[in-house]
Amino acid sequence: MPRTEISSDKTYASGPLFVRLWRGYLSRHWPKMVVAAVLMVIEGSTLGALSWIIKPLFDKVFVDGQIHMLWLVGGAIFGLFLIRAMTSVCSRWMLSAVAQATSSAMQVDLVRHILTLDQSFFQQNPPGALIERVQGDTLAVQGVWSTFITGAGRDVVALVSLFGVAIAIDPRWTLAALIGAPLLIMPTLIAQRYIRKKTRQMRAQSSDRATRLDEIFHGIAAVKLNRLEDYQMRRFSGLVGHIRKAMVKMAAIQSMIPALIDVVTGFGFFAVLVLGGHEIAEGRRSVGEFMSFFTAMSLAFQPLRRLGGLAGTWQTAAASLERVYRVFDITPEVRSPDTPAARPATMEVRLDDVWLSYGDKPVLRGLSFTAEAGKTTALVGPSGAGKSTVFNLLTRLVDPDRGTVSVGGVSVAALDLGVLRSLFSTVAQDATLFDETIRDNILLGRTDISEAQLNTALTVAHVTEFTDAMPLGLDSPAGPRGSALSGGQRQRVAIARAVLRDAPVLLLDEATSALDTASEAKVAQALDHLSAGRTTLVIAHRLSTVRNADHIVVVVEGRVAEEGTHDTLLAKGGVYADLCRLQLVE
Ligand code: ADP
């Protein structure tokens, strides 16, 4: 069986990751992004304009005393702030619309993809960890693109316009202001790596946290009965502690880049003051020019800090995106063939020299048998012999390593998966119920069932007997995982589902001990009714079921030990006779 575990060592370089994100989720929103970027550009350039206006304010109004200009300059400043307010509201609105659209699209795609993955994937990846990927990691896409647009659209333009003003006033002053900038390169690169590494750890720990919570809440009865509350709490708080430490470290490193920018800017200010201060004192430059330059530099400060943080933001997002794409890159082994065969005409089920291992552990070793169409075939044998695995092979929850599994002479691998699975109704030992009403649990979203059909199914499956006693009847909630119903009731709900499904092959895993005698009799009656005329494979635990079966296959260690009818096998005095003597078929 293939290993489909999400590989944790696969890494993605930033460039290809961003291209993939752009192609998959961002590019389709380009018109909105362009509008948002234009609005951001306008917003950003108001800063440059603001610093430009400072010059006439000082030189004309304050120094020359042209008071009539006060109104003009004041009005212009107010107008700039008004433009800034409007563009910022509109662009943020647009940004968040796209951010939400991209992350929800990614969530839907991810769940759609996960649903196609093999059963083995779900055995290796606990539900909590998958939930964390779907709900937590996809959010990264929101942050990335809005930060980039904000960064590129507003902050870069603000910087360009502010430096434009600065250069126009004096290129030498500008150069002096930027004197410390090269010092930023190395620390930024180091910080980026560190942030990616820490975020990776933190995301993995968040997955563990979700898994732990899922297991605690699903296993709440076991936790309480074994008095595991303290133990579970210790493990949980340990995990939370790790996440907290990683977050704090990351935040500290992330804040280092803007802090370095502070230092470099401070140094730049100092250099400009030394250079420019002299020139003004000597009368070679106006106060207005210096103030305008100084304002431009001061306004450049915030956008610079934000842009400095951008690399860190990308690394945080990239660590999450990497986790999302790792799942997208897993392809299911169990797939429908490109040109599926036609639905088989008869329902004879056949396994021919089937071998299957889970890892190194052989489970089926050359299993061959035939279950005749329209007859009941009982599978018996010790626990762990591979009986349930036969059901999984038929429905293609797993594929064999070797050998063929066929229905009506058609290999199950040649059929469309949907068609194949529609051939079977499975009633398992522990029916999976959803946290919905009993009615919804039986209908399972089907709208083509008439009230009369539903009522027949309810009667045949002996469901009405217990729902009638409930105040809400069929509309009573089944509780999380069907916990509001007893084992026998859950199984009867599963039988009602199977009746409505009306599939030609029935796969029954008989309950062992979950039922009391009265429920057991009801369930047995319901099952008898259901299997009449259908090809039925039953993993039998009760002697009465085996006795009534048309054919018995005794499976031991993944092979057929013997087969025949109850009488022939009993007469043979082999494994079956031993099992019967014990009155207990595991
Ligand atoms: P039975 O139904 O006869 O009790 P199963 O078919 O459920 O036996 O299991 C056969 C063997 O395969 C068991 O030893 C079980 O531990 C092993 N097995 C079943 N599913 C898996 C799995 N997903 N991974 C590893 N081993 C498995």
Side-chain angles (χ1 to χ4, degrees), residues 80-112:
L80 280 175
F81 275 100
L82 216 57
I83 293 172
R84 223 175 133 67
M86 285 188 306
T87 49
S88 104
V89 169
C90 294
S91 60
R92 268 173 196 76
W93 184 7
M94 225 164 259
L95 282 179
S96 91
V98 179
Q100 297 302 330
T102 45
S103 67
S104 27
M106 191 180 249
Q107 283 182 355
V108 172
D109 287 352
L110 190 59
V111 172
R112 187 183 296 120

Side-chain angles (χ1 to χ4, degrees), residues 20 95 127 148 188 210 235 323 362 388 399 421 465 502 545 562 581:
R20 204 166 161 185
L95 282 179
F148 267 88
T188 310
R235 284 176 72 182
R323 286 164 51 83
S388 312
D399 276 346
R421 288 180 184 154
E465 279 167 40
D502 198 23
T545 316
E562 49 190 23
R581 207 167 304 122

